[in-house]
Short mmCIF file of all heavy atoms in Angstrom, two decimals:
data_model
loop_
_atom_site.label_atom_id
_atom_site.label_comp_id
_atom_site.label_asym_id
_atom_site.label_seq_id
_atom_site.Cartn_x
_atom_site.Cartn_y
_atom_site.Cartn_z
N ALA A 108 115.62 95.74 117.48
CA ALA A 108 115.19 94.58 118.27
C ALA A 108 114.25 93.70 117.46
O ALA A 108 114.34 92.47 117.50
CB ALA A 108 114.52 95.03 119.57
N ARG A 109 113.36 94.32 116.71
CA ARG A 109 112.41 93.56 115.88
C ARG A 109 113.15 92.76 114.81
O ARG A 109 112.79 91.63 114.52
CB ARG A 109 111.42 94.53 115.25
CG ARG A 109 110.38 93.91 114.40
CD ARG A 109 109.27 93.21 115.12
NE ARG A 109 108.43 94.15 115.83
CZ ARG A 109 107.85 93.86 116.98
NH1 ARG A 109 107.99 92.69 117.51
NH2 ARG A 109 107.12 94.73 117.59
N LYS A 110 114.23 93.33 114.23
CA LYS A 110 115.01 92.62 113.21
C LYS A 110 115.81 91.48 113.82
O LYS A 110 115.87 90.38 113.27
CB LYS A 110 115.97 93.58 112.50
CG LYS A 110 115.31 94.50 111.53
CD LYS A 110 116.32 95.43 110.89
CE LYS A 110 115.64 96.47 110.03
NZ LYS A 110 116.61 97.46 109.53
N LEU A 111 116.47 91.75 114.95
CA LEU A 111 117.32 90.74 115.58
C LEU A 111 116.53 89.65 116.30
O LEU A 111 116.96 88.50 116.36
CB LEU A 111 118.27 91.40 116.59
CG LEU A 111 119.31 92.35 116.02
CD1 LEU A 111 120.07 93.05 117.14
CD2 LEU A 111 120.28 91.59 115.12
N PHE A 112 115.40 90.02 116.87
CA PHE A 112 114.60 89.10 117.67
C PHE A 112 113.15 89.16 117.21
O PHE A 112 112.31 89.79 117.86
CB PHE A 112 114.69 89.45 119.17
CG PHE A 112 116.09 89.75 119.63
CD1 PHE A 112 116.50 91.06 119.86
CD2 PHE A 112 117.01 88.72 119.81
CE1 PHE A 112 117.79 91.34 120.28
CE2 PHE A 112 118.31 89.00 120.22
CZ PHE A 112 118.70 90.31 120.46
N PRO A 113 112.83 88.56 116.06
CA PRO A 113 111.47 88.64 115.52
C PRO A 113 110.45 88.16 116.55
O PRO A 113 110.67 87.23 117.30
CB PRO A 113 111.51 87.68 114.32
CG PRO A 113 112.95 87.60 113.96
CD PRO A 113 113.72 87.74 115.24
N GLY A 114 109.34 88.86 116.59
CA GLY A 114 108.28 88.50 117.52
C GLY A 114 108.42 89.13 118.89
O GLY A 114 107.58 88.91 119.75
N THR A 115 109.47 89.92 119.10
CA THR A 115 109.65 90.59 120.38
C THR A 115 108.50 91.55 120.63
O THR A 115 108.19 92.37 119.76
CB THR A 115 110.98 91.39 120.41
OG1 THR A 115 112.05 90.48 120.25
CG2 THR A 115 111.15 92.15 121.71
N ALA A 116 107.88 91.44 121.78
CA ALA A 116 106.82 92.38 122.15
C ALA A 116 107.47 93.69 122.58
O ALA A 116 108.44 93.69 123.32
CB ALA A 116 105.98 91.80 123.28
N ILE A 117 106.92 94.81 122.08
CA ILE A 117 107.52 96.11 122.35
C ILE A 117 106.45 97.09 122.80
O ILE A 117 105.37 97.18 122.21
CB ILE A 117 108.23 96.66 121.09
CG1 ILE A 117 109.37 95.71 120.69
CG2 ILE A 117 108.75 98.07 121.32
CD1 ILE A 117 110.01 96.03 119.36
N LEU A 118 106.77 97.85 123.85
CA LEU A 118 105.94 98.94 124.33
C LEU A 118 106.80 100.20 124.34
O LEU A 118 107.85 100.21 124.98
CB LEU A 118 105.40 98.66 125.73
CG LEU A 118 104.63 99.80 126.42
CD1 LEU A 118 103.36 100.14 125.64
CD2 LEU A 118 104.30 99.42 127.85
N LEU A 119 106.36 101.23 123.61
CA LEU A 119 107.08 102.49 123.56
C LEU A 119 106.43 103.47 124.53
O LEU A 119 105.20 103.58 124.57
CB LEU A 119 107.04 103.05 122.14
CG LEU A 119 107.66 102.17 121.06
CD1 LEU A 119 107.34 102.73 119.68
CD2 LEU A 119 109.15 102.05 121.26
N ILE A 120 107.26 104.18 125.29
CA ILE A 120 106.76 105.18 126.22
C ILE A 120 107.15 106.54 125.67
O ILE A 120 108.32 106.77 125.35
CB ILE A 120 107.31 104.95 127.63
CG1 ILE A 120 106.80 103.61 128.13
CG2 ILE A 120 106.92 106.09 128.56
CD1 ILE A 120 107.30 103.21 129.48
N SER A 121 106.16 107.43 125.57
CA SER A 121 106.39 108.70 124.89
C SER A 121 105.83 109.87 125.68
O SER A 121 104.82 109.75 126.37
CB SER A 121 105.71 108.65 123.52
OG SER A 121 105.76 109.91 122.90
N ASP A 122 106.47 111.03 125.50
CA ASP A 122 105.95 112.29 126.04
C ASP A 122 104.92 112.89 125.09
O ASP A 122 104.15 113.76 125.46
CB ASP A 122 107.08 113.31 126.21
CG ASP A 122 108.08 112.89 127.26
OD1 ASP A 122 107.67 112.25 128.25
OD2 ASP A 122 109.27 113.19 127.09
N ASP A 123 104.94 112.43 123.86
CA ASP A 123 104.13 112.99 122.78
C ASP A 123 102.79 112.26 122.69
O ASP A 123 102.72 111.05 122.80
CB ASP A 123 104.90 112.81 121.47
CG ASP A 123 104.27 113.50 120.30
OD1 ASP A 123 103.21 114.14 120.47
OD2 ASP A 123 104.84 113.42 119.21
N ARG A 124 101.74 112.99 122.47
CA ARG A 124 100.41 112.39 122.33
C ARG A 124 100.23 111.69 120.98
O ARG A 124 99.39 110.84 120.84
CB ARG A 124 99.32 113.45 122.50
CG ARG A 124 99.24 113.97 123.90
CD ARG A 124 98.57 112.95 124.78
NE ARG A 124 98.63 113.39 126.16
CZ ARG A 124 98.45 112.60 127.18
NH1 ARG A 124 98.22 111.33 127.00
NH2 ARG A 124 98.52 113.05 128.40
N GLN A 125 100.97 112.08 119.96
CA GLN A 125 100.90 111.46 118.64
C GLN A 125 102.28 110.92 118.28
O GLN A 125 102.92 111.40 117.36
CB GLN A 125 100.44 112.48 117.58
CG GLN A 125 99.07 113.06 117.83
CD GLN A 125 97.99 111.99 117.73
OE1 GLN A 125 98.09 111.07 116.93
NE2 GLN A 125 96.96 112.11 118.54
N PRO A 126 102.76 109.91 118.98
CA PRO A 126 104.14 109.46 118.79
C PRO A 126 104.37 108.74 117.47
O PRO A 126 103.47 108.15 116.88
CB PRO A 126 104.37 108.51 119.96
CG PRO A 126 103.00 108.04 120.32
CD PRO A 126 102.06 109.17 120.00
N ALA A 127 105.62 108.81 117.03
CA ALA A 127 106.03 108.16 115.79
C ALA A 127 105.92 106.65 115.89
O ALA A 127 105.84 105.97 114.88
CB ALA A 127 107.47 108.55 115.46
N GLY A 128 105.91 106.11 117.09
CA GLY A 128 105.84 104.66 117.28
C GLY A 128 104.60 104.03 116.68
O GLY A 128 104.59 102.87 116.31
N ARG A 129 103.54 104.81 116.58
CA ARG A 129 102.32 104.27 115.98
C ARG A 129 102.53 103.90 114.51
O ARG A 129 101.88 103.02 113.99
CB ARG A 129 101.17 105.25 116.13
CG ARG A 129 100.75 105.45 117.56
CD ARG A 129 99.36 106.04 117.66
NE ARG A 129 99.09 106.59 118.96
CZ ARG A 129 98.79 105.89 120.04
NH1 ARG A 129 98.74 104.59 119.99
NH2 ARG A 129 98.54 106.47 121.18
N ALA A 130 103.47 104.59 113.86
CA ALA A 130 103.77 104.30 112.46
C ALA A 130 104.36 102.90 112.31
O ALA A 130 104.21 102.26 111.28
CB ALA A 130 104.73 105.33 111.90
N LEU A 131 105.03 102.42 113.34
CA LEU A 131 105.59 101.06 113.32
C LEU A 131 104.59 100.02 113.80
O LEU A 131 104.91 98.85 113.91
CB LEU A 131 106.83 100.98 114.21
CG LEU A 131 108.07 101.66 113.72
CD1 LEU A 131 109.17 101.54 114.76
CD2 LEU A 131 108.53 101.06 112.41
N ASN A 132 103.40 100.47 114.12
CA ASN A 132 102.36 99.58 114.61
C ASN A 132 102.74 98.96 115.96
O ASN A 132 102.43 97.81 116.23
CB ASN A 132 102.05 98.50 113.57
CG ASN A 132 100.61 98.04 113.67
OD1 ASN A 132 99.78 98.74 114.24
ND2 ASN A 132 100.32 96.89 113.13
N GLU A 133 103.44 99.72 116.79
CA GLU A 133 103.83 99.27 118.12
C GLU A 133 102.88 99.84 119.15
O GLU A 133 102.25 100.87 118.93
CB GLU A 133 105.27 99.72 118.45
CG GLU A 133 106.33 99.20 117.52
CD GLU A 133 106.54 97.70 117.61
OE1 GLU A 133 105.98 97.03 118.49
OE2 GLU A 133 107.29 97.19 116.77
N ARG A 134 102.82 99.20 120.29
CA ARG A 134 102.05 99.73 121.41
C ARG A 134 102.75 100.99 121.91
O ARG A 134 103.97 101.02 122.02
CB ARG A 134 102.00 98.73 122.56
CG ARG A 134 101.17 97.54 122.28
CD ARG A 134 101.20 96.60 123.49
NE ARG A 134 100.42 95.44 123.20
CZ ARG A 134 99.09 95.39 123.33
NH1 ARG A 134 98.44 96.42 123.77
NH2 ARG A 134 98.44 94.30 123.01
N VAL A 135 101.96 101.99 122.26
CA VAL A 135 102.52 103.24 122.77
C VAL A 135 101.75 103.64 124.03
O VAL A 135 100.52 103.60 124.05
CB VAL A 135 102.42 104.37 121.72
CG1 VAL A 135 102.95 105.68 122.28
CG2 VAL A 135 103.15 103.99 120.45
#
Side-chain angles (χ1 to χ4, degrees):
R109 181 76 68 214
K110 286 179 187 174
L111 295 173
F112 315 104
T115 298
I117 298 172
L118 173 63
L119 300 170
I120 296 178
S121 173
D122 294 326
D123 188 0
R124 292 284 174 198
Q125 299 295 325
R129 293 199 197 282
L131 288 177
N132 209 19
E133 299 293 352
R134 290 179 181 278
V135 178

